[in-house]
Amino acid sequence: MTDLDQRSYFFDEGIRFECRRCGDCCTGDPGIVRVNEREIECIAAYLGTPISAVVETFIYSWEDGHSIKEASDGRCLFFEDGCRIYPARPTQCRTFPFWFANLRSEARWKKIRHQCPGIGTGHLYSKADILAILSRSSDRRP
Ligand code: SF4
């Protein structure tokens, strides 16, 4: 058991979540969606498109890595009437809403609850599940 496991959190009893595929977290305000080279390869394989074409159309360099481009209205460029790459989506998307930025305080979590209709429904993620997701989440910024 680690120090993090022993601490008490507002999610000690777990959190229910099931993605409704509503797209609210993929549209609207601009944001960074980090994607690494392995994930870009997975996306290209899923789309049946050369990696170079995926990079040219959908990816840009950001800090020391890459991010997915957005349309002029702020939506993720892979979002068109739903996520075009859902089975191959990157870790940042897979681990939403269990991001450090969202879980660092109950006040922040309450805010995100209002933005994501999947929270409070479906599968019950235990504290251990959530800490495991946090440990592999690519968004660990406050
Ligand atoms: S806002 Fe929540 S329910 Fe809607 S697509 Fe994003 S994660 Fe799924």
Side-chain angles (χ1 to χ4, degrees):
M1 193 176 254
T2 68
D3 287 351
L4 286 178
D5 294 325
Q6 291 172 33
R7 280 183 51 184
S8 183
Y9 301 94
F10 69 88
F11 53 85
D12 278 355
E13 302 306 315
I15 293 175
R16 288 194 182 279
F17 170 68
E18 183 174 323
C19 179
R20 300 294 178 191
R21 309 276 295 265
C22 68
D24 284 3
C25 62
C26 324
T27 58
D29 290 343
I32 303 297
V33 181
R34 297 182 204 189
V35 59
N36 63 33
E37 289 180 8
R38 184 187 53 78
E39 291 169 330
I40 293 170
E41 287 172 21
C42 288
I43 292 168
Y46 178 74
L47 293 174
T49 305
I51 294 169
S52 58
V54 169
V55 169
E56 186 178 335
T57 307
F58 294 101
I59 307 296
Y60 68 97
S61 296
W62 184 76
E63 291 194 338
D64 57 350
H66 314 283
S67 180
I68 296 174
K69 290 179 184 173
E70 295 171 328
S72 55
D73 60 4
R75 73 181 156 78
C76 172
L77 209 50
F78 284 117
F79 190 87
E80 277 176 24
D81 220 11
C83 177
R84 288 180 55 201
I85 58 164
Y86 195 79
R89 66 201 187 286
T91 299
Q92 185 173 324
C93 306
R94 284 181 190 279
T95 54
F96 184 85
F98 300 118
W99 294 349
F100 180 76
N102 296 336
L103 289 163
R104 66 195 298 259
S105 74
E106 193 164 5
R108 286 219 184 195
W109 184 253
K110 280 181 180 162
K111 200 172 162 195
I112 213 74
R113 272 190 83 132
H114 289 298
Q115 297 166 10
C116 172
I119 295 173
T121 71
H123 179 76
L124 178 63
Y125 289 81
S126 68
K127 173 185 175 183
D129 293 335
I130 294 166
L131 290 176
I133 293 169
L134 273 174
S135 74
R136 68 171 199 268
S137 169
S138 59
D139 183 344
R140 299 178 65 80
R141 291 167 301 156

